[in-house]
Amino acid sequence: MSKILSFILCFVLCAGHVIAQPIVSPVVRDQLSAISSVKLNGFVGNKLDELNKNRILAQDASHLIEPFKHRNETRLWQTEFWGKWVTSAIGAYQYNHDPELFAKIKQSVTDLLATQSPDGYIGNYADNAHLQQWDIWGRKYTLLGLLEYYGISRDKNVLKAAIRLADHLLAEVGPGKTNIVKTGNHRGMASSSVLQPIVLLYEVTGEKRFLDFANYIVTQWETEDYPKLISKALAGVDVADRYPHPKEWFSWENGVKSYEMMSCYEGLLELYRVTGFPLYLSAVEATVQNIIRTEINVAGSGSAFECWYHGHFNQIFPSFQTNETCVATTWVKLCFDLLKVTGKSVYADQIEKSFYNSLLGAVKTDGSTLIYYTQLEGYKTPGAKQCGMEISCCIANGPRAFVLMPRFAVMKNDDGIVVNFYCQSEAKVQLADGNNVFLKQTTNYPESDSIVVEAIPEKEANFPIMFRIPEWSEKSSISVNGQYEEKIEAGTYKSVSRIWKRGDRVTIKLDLRGKVVRKGRHFALTRGPILLARDSRLGGGDIDESAIVLDKNGIVPLEPCSEKPANVWMCFTVPLQMGSYVQLGADNRTVRFCDFSSAGNEWSKENRYKVWLEETIDVRK
């Protein structure tokens, strides 16, 4: 192993010399690509519309730009908020084409550029505090926002401003200057996550200095006691064990910060796309697989106090500040990037799980704000305001995952169409030969197990449609016009190739049986991608009371509730044997559970919820 790691380190240290000529287009072609014409309807579509209207469009953009006008900051992160908001707003505009939203985005960009100084700097840090704390982190989000706006506007002045901003950074850090991984927080991960927009800027401009700077960043990761995001990933080091606990938690010493670490891997994956260096992809995939195995919990997210902590194993224990919304958002974005690059359904499974649980659970029912931590028990409360402003990192960041969902729902590859997300929806896909295919899904999944997909091509043609079979769906079926397909395997795509004609109907049935997840003396319940929770509004006694679930080989009979409180999406009755204070067998009853995203939706201390229930010990067994 030491020889392998030595080779990796040598290659990374020499990475700046590998590519002699600038490459404008990625050398690695994505396996899957997004399409521009998708409309989500039903429950999910309504939630997205509410979030777009009441959170993204309702944001006072001038409030986010105000900090850029005052160059006196030394430690806070106000300048991340604009970039997060504008990238979510651009995603929303690409989805709904709202002219009011576009006008708001355009005005905010104009106002921001008015704060750019002659040397190219856009930020709020004092001259003598540049590169400290969250300065470069904020510049990263500004650069991302400007590049995404250039993508929809093609405004050359915006691109020039982005180039000037990047060149100002290159003048301050790099070979012979300040080492980027010695700046900011979390062993330089916060600062060096600027890798992603730097690579994107290289793709847009073809300017080799930006590729050289990207390679420089990766070089610094593998030196001395810095993040070692490549070598530790390939050596199989758990993300929670990359560095010991620091004396000061939120500091440069803390090298296991979840959000910042994943942000660096987003950049490394983009660098892989333009260099084709396979160890970059291997490092990203190894880390993501490690996160799935050691950190992601039943709600599809992770972290405690915003850091990795072996959360997959420790999720049954109450922990301070679990499931930060910024972590869930970045997790979904990273999985989406990997899905595009690799075409592997495992990443689509992770997106679905996180979206239906942690992300939907983070949004207030009217879409106006987001919670900071979607913990597995307790109650919900609005995210704390930060940096003296009327917003927080999670309120700004969370919508970025939601506006990604239409692009995730239906995608295409070189041959045909890929259906990732089952939802009442409509999509128009243009195939490689120019043939347009209208795809309509009729379903209320995941409330029910049936999805009907109508394929309506402009011209009859032979092409494949790939349908995702979730890893949890042990019993699935697909039929086309009543004819059943064979070899349906969980955790894969089922490719259906035929001459598609107008009126062809595909019926998909997925396995929505209730299942028990056991860890030690605790259990949780799931139904397909949906995590279930006890909620104090549903009655049935103390939600903290121990119980024995009356399952058969891990399968639990679930029945829809005859009635449910307001703001509850799904509700089911579950047979349980409750407590330990009554004669054995005398307290068998059905108890109501709701979907995790609805749990605690009153957002009050009185409305408590709980996912992991303690199992009553029966000493006879």
Side-chain angles (χ1 to χ4, degrees):
M1 180 61 73
S2 60
K3 290 183 178 179
I4 295 174
L5 294 181
S6 296
F7 167 77
I8 294 166
L9 182 58
C10 177
F11 193 100
V12 172
L13 289 172
C14 300
H17 304 288
V18 172
I19 297 175
Q21 298 297 325
I23 303 171
V24 175
S25 298
V27 299
V28 176
R29 295 183 67 246
D30 288 343
Q31 297 296 307
L32 303 182
S33 57
I35 61 175
S36 59
S37 181
V38 179
K39 179 68 172 71
L40 304 184
N41 301 309
F43 180 84
V44 171
N46 290 338
K47 284 294 179 185
L48 182 56
D49 290 344
E50 289 172 348
L51 187 77
N52 288 342
K53 177 183 176 182
N54 297 328
R55 164 90 296 273
I56 296 174
L57 183 59
Q59 175 64 50
D60 177 4
S62 63
H63 178 64
L64 306 182
I65 292 169
E66 187 63 28
F68 292 90
K69 300 176 182 179
H70 310 285
R71 305 281 176 84
N72 55 12
E73 188 53 70
T74 59
R75 64 184 184 88
L76 298 179
W77 54 92
Q78 301 96 327
T79 53
E80 73 170 42
F81 300 143
W82 179 83
K84 289 179 174 181
W85 169 78
V86 82
T87 52
S88 66
I90 290 167
Y93 171 73
Q94 290 174 310
Y95 173 66
N96 60 25
H97 308 291
D98 180 357
E100 181 183 0
L101 180 58
F102 181 80
K104 189 166 191 172
I105 294 167
K106 182 178 180 180
Q107 185 61 55
S108 78
V109 172
T110 299
D111 294 344
L112 180 81
L113 294 188
T115 72
Q116 187 167 32
S117 57
D119 63 3
Y121 181 69
I122 303 176
N124 71 332
Y125 270 63
D127 290 345
N128 62 358
H130 276 203
L131 311 183
Q132 296 180 23
Q133 298 289 324
W134 300 101
D135 180 33
I136 299 179
W137 174 262
R139 299 192 217 183
K140 173 190 80 171
Y141 278 108
T142 298
L143 193 52
L144 281 171
L146 292 176
L147 288 173
E148 290 206 18
Y149 180 72
Y150 173 72
I152 64 169
S153 69
R154 295 297 167 185
D155 186 330
K156 292 183 179 179
N157 289 327
V158 173
L159 180 59
K160 289 178 182 177
I163 292 170
R164 291 175 59 216
L165 175 59
D167 281 338
H168 180 269
L169 177 63
L170 268 62
E172 291 188 317
V173 298
K177 305 159 195 163
T178 301
N179 188 336
I180 193 167
V181 291
K182 290 184 177 180
T183 69
N185 290 293
H186 307 295
R187 294 191 179 266
M189 290 190 296
S191 294
S192 61
S193 68
V194 75
L195 173 64
Q196 185 185 31
I198 291 294
V199 177
L200 293 173
L201 188 59
Y202 166 67
E203 292 179 47
V204 170
T205 65
E207 296 291 339
K208 187 175 179 293
R209 67 183 180 279
F210 298 128
L211 178 62
D212 290 342
F213 188 67
N215 285 321
Y216 154 78
I217 291 173
V218 175
T219 297
Q220 300 314 301
W221 286 349
E222 295 297 321
T223 58
E224 301 180 32
D225 60 347
Y226 299 125
K228 293 186 169 58
L229 294 171
I230 298 172
S231 56
K232 289 195 174 187
L234 296 176
V237 180
D238 289 349
V239 289
D241 295 333
R242 298 279 178 94
Y243 287 94
H245 278 205
K247 294 178 181 178
E248 183 179 347
W249 193 253
F250 294 107
S251 66
W252 184 89
E253 288 183 67
N254 190 329
V256 295
K257 187 75 156 54
S258 311
Y259 176 12
E260 286 75 3
M261 184 185 291
M262 289 189 291
S263 296
C264 288
Y265 283 115
E266 287 185 285
L268 188 62
L269 190 59
E270 195 63 34
L271 186 58
Y272 163 73
R273 294 179 72 245
V274 300
T275 64
F277 183 40
L279 287 185
Y280 292 166
L281 176 61
S282 296
V284 178
E285 286 208 272
T287 299
V288 167
Q289 289 298 326
N290 186 266
I291 292 170
I292 293 171
R293 187 173 64 255
T294 67
E295 296 293 344
I296 296 300
N297 56 43
V298 287
S301 187
S303 78
F305 263 118
E306 304 179 16
C307 292
W308 301 129
Y309 74 117
H310 294 292
H312 181 79
F313 308 104
N314 290 319
Q315 61 182 301
I316 61 175
F317 306 114
S319 304
F320 287 115
Q321 298 184 355
T322 52
N323 288 1
E324 184 195 16
T325 296
C326 279
V327 170
T329 296
T330 311
W331 175 241
V332 164
K333 290 171 67 271
L334 180 56
C335 285
F336 182 62
D337 289 342
L338 270 173
L339 176 66
K340 289 189 296 183
V341 170
T342 69
K344 295 178 182 178
S345 65
V346 60
Y347 304 122
D349 288 341
Q350 291 297 318
I351 293 170
E352 179 187 50
K353 181 179 178 180
S354 186
F355 174 77
Y356 274 127
N357 298 296
S358 283
L359 286 169
L360 274 181
V363 181
K364 202 164 187 179
T365 51
D366 64 358
S368 61
T369 192
L370 292 92
I371 200 170
Y372 207 121
Y373 304 103
T374 49
Q375 303 191 128
L376 297 180
E377 66 174 77
Y379 59 89
K380 291 180 179 177
T381 183
K385 297 170 183 176
Q386 295 177 328
C387 306
M389 298 180 68
E390 297 297 312
I391 198 168
S392 74
C393 58
C394 294
I395 293 173
N397 207 18
R400 298 172 75 209
F402 281 83
V403 300
L404 178 149
M405 295 308 291
R407 288 184 284 155
F408 163 69
V410 179
M411 304 179 76
K412 64 180 181 178
N413 56 20
D414 288 344
D415 301 316
I417 301 171
V418 179
V419 181
N420 288 311
F421 191 58
Y422 299 114
C423 169
Q424 186 84 10
S425 62
E426 299 172 350
K428 183 180 178 181
V429 186
Q430 186 173 73
L431 302 180
D433 63 2
N435 192 11
N436 289 310
V437 181
F438 180 71
L439 214 66
K440 180 179 180 181
Q441 291 190 50
T442 302
T443 183
N444 65 346
Y445 169 89
E447 293 178 72
S448 69
D449 62 359
S450 180
I451 305 107
V452 175
V453 181
E454 294 180 70
I456 308 172
E458 281 185 347
K459 296 179 293 186
E460 293 183 5
N462 192 332
F463 57 88
I465 302 180
M466 298 174 64
F467 299 96
R468 182 176 64 90
I469 309 301
E471 53 84 22
W472 47 260
S473 188
E474 298 172 15
K475 295 183 177 181
S476 309
S477 69
I478 295 179
S479 62
V480 183
N481 300 333
Q483 293 288 107
Y484 282 89
E485 296 287 320
E486 298 179 348
K487 297 181 180 179
I488 311 297
E489 297 180 16
T492 65
Y493 287 103
K494 174 60 181 178
S495 180
V496 179
S497 293
R498 59 184 282 116
I499 297 176
W500 293 95
K501 302 175 182 179
R502 181 177 294 270
D504 282 341
R505 291 164 62 91
V506 180
T507 301
I508 304 163
K509 292 270 191 177
L510 298 178
D511 185 359
L512 293 186
R513 293 177 296 172
K515 296 180 181 178
V516 184
V517 181
R518 286 189 167 91
K519 288 191 176 296
R521 299 301 309 178
H522 293 76
F523 69 89
L525 302 177
T526 62
R527 182 179 181 270
I530 303 298
L531 174 64
L532 302 181
R534 290 207 63 185
D535 186 295
S536 58
R537 294 171 295 171
L538 300 176
D542 185 351
I543 66 169
D544 293 314
E545 190 174 14
S546 67
I548 294 176
V549 61
L550 304 177
D551 66 298
K552 292 183 179 180
N553 299 319
I555 302 300
V556 184
L558 302 178
E559 294 293 335
C561 300
S562 57
E563 57 182 24
K564 58 186 179 182
N567 297 328
V568 169
W569 180 23
M570 287 182 268
C571 177
F572 302 95
T573 60
V574 181
L576 299 177
Q577 182 178 310
M578 300 300 302
S580 59
Y581 301 104
V582 296
Q583 183 179 355
L584 192 63
D587 198 19
N588 290 6
R589 63 179 187 262
T590 57
V591 177
R592 295 196 296 173
F593 284 66
C594 67
D595 63 287
F596 177 74
S597 72
S598 297
N601 261 355
E602 294 299 319
W603 289 50
S604 71
K605 291 184 178 180
E606 290 72 32
N607 180 197
R608 295 185 63 250
Y609 66 93
K610 190 177 180 70
V611 166
W612 288 103
L613 303 184
E614 191 168 9
E615 196 165 26
T616 311
I617 295 175
D618 184 346
V619 298
R620 303 174 307 165
K621 297 181 180 180

